[in-house]
Amino acid sequence: CDFPHGQAVVDVGFDARPAGIKHAQIWVQGRGGKQQLWGQAPGFKAAQPTGKWMTDGMKLLLVDMDAGKLVAATTVRAAPCR
């Protein structure tokens, strides 16, 4: 319940194999636009926790390493506590 105003652990994984991607990277982008490499793998990476440092509004970017292109992006948003 602290996430909307604090930090949270987010499970991050991907399967880019159907798109033909052989080598991929996950980058984390903060609100200020600074990007940091979080991980890389062949076209598949099972979900792994980030640690308690993700904040509302951060972006996760999936990059095709071979082509040097952004493949997908998503913004992390806090969900209401129940």
Side-chain angles (χ1 to χ4, degrees):
C1 288
D2 293 336
F3 185 51
H5 305 290
Q7 299 172 320
V9 174
V10 176
D11 290 329
V12 179
F14 62 88
D15 186 357
R17 296 174 296 186
I21 295 171
K22 295 182 174 143
H23 304 97
Q25 294 177 322
I26 291 283
W27 290 79
V28 177
Q29 180 177 316
R31 285 189 172 162
K34 182 179 177 184
Q35 295 177 359
Q36 182 172 352
L37 180 63
W38 185 72
Q40 59 187 27
F44 171 82
K45 184 171 181 82
Q48 295 181 334
T50 59
K52 193 173 181 180
W53 48 263
M54 293 293 287
T55 59
D56 186 61
M58 283 185 144
K59 292 185 180 184
L60 296 166
L61 312 170
L62 180 65
V63 175
D64 179 340
M65 290 174 54
D66 297 321
K69 290 185 176 182
L70 178 66
V71 176
T74 189
T75 301
V76 176
R77 293 289 179 206
C81 295
R82 293 179 188 206

